[in-house]
């Protein structure tokens, strides 16, 4: 997706050896026109799949999934990271190790919002080691539903998530794949 690559090149900041910051359009300030393009592109790539729900994880995934849902015309469910008295007691739970935060946390989805037989599209902003996507997959499987695909805005090809997920025979669509960071500059694989 050329427009996305352009924005990454112009505005992305390499924050450490492995972390890319794109706060000006994806993770803090949100460029909704770009999100529309992203949503359309996901819709094109998963055309023909009878998706019944989109599943993502708070916080950054929510906006991406919401705009994409305008095209898929299905509900968005997001996994919650924090315990809350508002959350139903009956939940599917899984664990995610975050390499950016360097800690493990629980995610939860109420059993009311994913059902047996659902055909779920998982969407997220970044793919690094694949822990978030695998935990979301685990929740879908606990519900007796199926993962129809995984859509990622920015995959970092030098981390292992892409390989792990492709080995699972799931349709993984990454709109851009970052090859590496060289002297603070991003290069792409696709
Ligand atoms: P994974 O679970 O694949 O290791 O990491 C994916 C999650 O970590 C994403 O949900 C994203 O929020 C966060 N993440 C991983 N790498 C980056 C990065 O380079 N930049 C940003 N902004 N978030 C990242």
């Amino acid at each position: 997706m050329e427009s996305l690559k352009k924005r990454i090149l112009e505005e992305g900041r390499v924050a450490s050896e492995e972390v890319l910051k794109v706060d000006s359009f994806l993770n803090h300030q949100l460029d909704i026109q770009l999100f529309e393009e992203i949503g359309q592109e996901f819709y094109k790539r998963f055309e023909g799949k009878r998706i019944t729900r989109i599943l993502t994880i708070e916080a950054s995934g929510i906006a991406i999934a919401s705009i994409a849902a305008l095209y898929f015309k299905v509900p968005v469910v997001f996994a919650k990271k924090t315990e809350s008295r508002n959350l139903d007691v009956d939940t599917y739970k899984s664990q995610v190790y975050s390499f950016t935060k360097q800690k493990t946390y629980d995610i939860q989805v109420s059993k009311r919002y994913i059902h047996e037989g659902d055909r779920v599209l998982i969407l997220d902003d970044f793919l690094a080691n694949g822990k978030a996507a695998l935990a979301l997959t685990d929740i879908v499987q606990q519900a007796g539903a199926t993962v129809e695909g995984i859509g990622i805005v920015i995959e970092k090809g030098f981390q292992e998530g892409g390989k792990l997920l492709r080995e699972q025979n799931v349709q993984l669509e990454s709109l851009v794949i970052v090859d590496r960071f060289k002297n603070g500059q991003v290069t792409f694989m696709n």
Side-chain angles (χ1 to χ4, degrees):
M1 206 180 139
E2 292 309 314
S3 52
L4 182 56
K5 283 187 193 168
K6 188 165 178 280
R7 295 296 291 274
I8 294 170
L9 289 175
E10 286 173 0
E11 298 169 44
R13 285 187 295 123
V14 175
S16 73
E17 260 180 32
E18 294 183 322
V19 175
L20 177 66
K21 281 182 78 86
V22 283
D23 283 358
S24 63
F25 60 92
L26 192 66
N27 292 128
H28 196 9
Q29 174 171 260
L30 308 178
D31 183 335
I32 300 302
Q33 260 95 53
L34 180 68
F35 279 34
E36 276 191 321
E37 268 188 68
I38 288 171
Q40 277 173 335
E41 184 65 26
F42 281 138
Y43 187 65
K44 207 168 83 189
R45 293 190 187 208
F46 292 103
E47 211 172 1
K49 301 253 176 190
R50 285 193 304 106
I51 308 292
T52 60
R53 264 181 179 63
I54 295 175
L55 177 65
T56 189
I57 185 165
E58 64 179 347
S60 293
I62 297 175
I64 295 159
S66 301
I67 305 293
L70 292 170
Y71 301 96
F72 287 91
K73 301 195 186 331
V74 296
V76 172
V77 179
F78 65 91
K80 299 204 177 202
K81 289 179 179 170
T82 44
E83 291 283 342
S84 160
R85 291 208 312 204
N86 292 335
L87 188 61
D88 292 339
V89 280
D90 218 3
T91 61
Y92 300 112
K93 285 195 186 69
S94 197
Q95 285 203 321
V96 180
Y97 174 77
S98 163
F99 95 98
T100 47
K101 297 191 185 75
Q102 304 213 322
K103 62 174 192 189
T104 300
Y105 59 89
D106 289 331
I107 58 168
Q108 299 189 63
V109 173
S110 165
K111 290 189 178 175
R112 288 172 191 257
Y113 303 123
I114 303 191
H115 309 127
E116 194 177 335
D118 259 328
R119 301 163 64 97
V120 179
L121 174 64
I122 293 173
L123 295 181
D124 204 4
D125 57 347
F126 273 89
L127 177 63
N129 293 313
K131 304 295 186 199
L134 287 171
L136 293 172
T137 300
D138 179 30
I139 281 180
V140 172
Q141 285 166 350
Q142 287 177 43
T146 52
V147 175
E148 287 297 310
I150 301 177
I152 299 289
V153 180
I154 303 173
E155 174 181 339
K156 290 179 292 176
F158 54 84
Q159 290 176 290
E160 65 177 8
K163 184 169 170 283
L164 267 177
L165 297 177
R166 288 185 181 94
E167 277 170 6
Q168 303 222 334
N169 258 346
V170 64
Q171 182 182 349
L172 169 65
E173 296 288 343
S174 300
L175 301 188
V176 302
I177 305 180
V178 171
D179 183 17
R180 59 193 176 131
F181 305 146
K182 198 182 170 201
N183 304 327
Q185 189 63 42
V186 178
T187 58
F188 298 102
M189 280 165 89
N190 60 346

